[in-house]
Amino acid sequence: MDIGFIGTGVMGRPMAANLAKAGHRLIVHRDTTAAREVLGDTVRYAGSAAEAARDSEAVILMLPDTPDVQEVMGEVLGALRPGTLVIDMSSISPAAEREIADQVAGAGGAHLDAPVSGGEIGAREGTLSIMVGGDAEAVDRARPLFAVLGARTSHIGPSGAGQVAKIANQVVVGLTIEAVAEALHLAEASGVDPAAVQSALMGGFAASRVLEVHGPRMIKGEYEPGFRIRLHRKDLRLAAEAAEGLGTALPGASLVHGLLEAAVDAGLADHDHAALRLLRDHRAVADHA
């Protein structure tokens, strides 16, 4: 398939690489040093989002936030061919995503919101969990692409439903990261080996993917980003906005959002979200900031 791929960040680069390895023909925006280090000459590079979209059967977006997607779609919409499939794999506002879906339909295309979970590891290994909103026919067209990018694809519901599922995912992940951080801090403050505690917890009801992956990172103090704190802060802001619009409250998510804000203020914005562990120790924050 001819694919326009827009977004060459930490997640986008390995996702594009996997599609190229699977035999798809990609035209990628943006052309950056980091993108060329991963993609080399296996893809073509576009000078604009419109150029990436113009001759593509499918356009995939993997961008940081709602305004980024809205800005790019301003270019993409004018370049779409009838029937082009637009797949937004960014994590953005469900309400904004529904508006974009209407705009794509008005331009003669088909739209899916398909945010992902699994971090850089999942993007690199092609094992992402993909949460999809949109029409079933468009989902079926996209399944060969999703099969390359992820290990699990779930059609959640109509446009915007994928984004709701992703926000829910980020609430669970954020609260669990903080729970693991506090548990390991308690162990360490008690003079007990946190690695032994982490191993023991993995054998019981507290076991989780967060404890498995991020527990050792916290113990070792390794916070190279798989998923940056500033992006998780954005996702929990989206959760707060969605809850406010529904007239409900997410007290736990609000607490963790405040901690992510504190981490950004402490200079940890581009650290992995596991670096919430550092907030338990002001000296550690100073060492890593």
Side-chain angles (χ1 to χ4, degrees):
M1 188 179 291
D2 292 311
I3 300 170
F5 197 102
I6 301 170
T8 52
V10 170
M11 298 285 287
R13 293 191 296 269
M15 291 167 68
N18 285 337
L19 289 168
K21 288 175 187 175
H24 296 287
R25 298 170 297 278
L26 270 66
I27 179 165
V28 171
H29 180 66
R30 299 179 179 264
D31 181 356
T32 66
T33 301
R36 286 189 179 265
E37 286 177 353
V38 174
L39 299 169
D41 59 0
T42 64
V43 304
R44 292 167 51 211
Y45 295 92
S48 68
E51 183 184 348
R54 189 168 294 121
D55 297 318
S56 297
E57 301 165 75
V59 178
I60 297 175
L61 290 82
M62 190 62 181
L63 297 165
D65 203 349
T66 305
D68 304 295
V69 174
Q70 291 170 326
E71 180 180 353
V72 163
M73 286 305 302
E75 295 185 47
V76 169
L77 288 169
L80 284 184
R81 300 187 305 181
T84 300
L85 179 60
V86 177
I87 308 172
D88 184 12
M89 306 191 79
S90 320
S91 297
I92 71 168
S93 158
E97 196 76 86
R98 287 188 284 268
E99 291 178 2
I100 292 168
D102 290 342
Q103 292 168 351
V104 171
H111 176 274
L112 296 173
D113 53 290
V116 302
S117 178
E120 183 186 9
I121 294 172
R124 189 172 60 247
E125 297 180 354
T127 57
L128 294 167
S129 175
I130 305 171
M131 296 155 270
V132 189
D135 293 336
E137 181 179 349
V139 175
D140 288 340
R141 287 177 59 194
R143 284 194 186 277
L145 305 180
F146 293 154
V148 173
L149 298 172
R152 180 185 181 93
T153 297
S154 302
H155 185 194
I156 307 299
S159 293
Q163 296 294 353
V164 172
K166 176 58 186 289
I167 289 172
N169 179 86
Q170 296 302 81
V171 169
V172 172
V173 172
L175 269 67
T176 307
I177 286 175
E178 178 57 19
V180 170
E182 292 186 14
L184 296 180
H185 174 70
L186 177 63
E188 193 172 71
S190 302
V192 174
D193 180 3
V197 171
Q198 186 267 347
S199 178
L201 295 182
M202 282 301 300
F205 202 51
S208 70
R209 182 68 170 157
V210 170
L211 180 64
E212 177 187 6
V213 173
H214 290 316
R217 298 182 104 182
M218 293 176 186
I219 292 165
K220 296 174 184 176
E222 297 175 350
Y223 299 115
E224 285 298 313
F227 189 72
R228 288 177 166 83
I229 277 179
R230 60 180 171 82
L231 294 178
H232 207 144
R233 177 188 62 166
K234 177 264 300 184
D235 289 341
L236 292 194
R237 171 179 55 77
L238 293 175
E241 291 171 354
E244 183 179 0
L246 295 167
T248 189
L250 302 173
S254 295
L255 172 64
V256 175
H257 182 246
L259 293 170
L260 291 165
E261 289 274 16
V264 169
D265 291 343
L268 304 175
D270 288 315
H271 288 58
D272 189 84
H273 52 179
L276 275 181
R277 170 71 177 85
L278 295 175
L279 294 183
R280 309 283 76 79
D281 185 341
H282 295 299
R283 289 171 300 176
V285 170
D287 289 343
H288 282 80

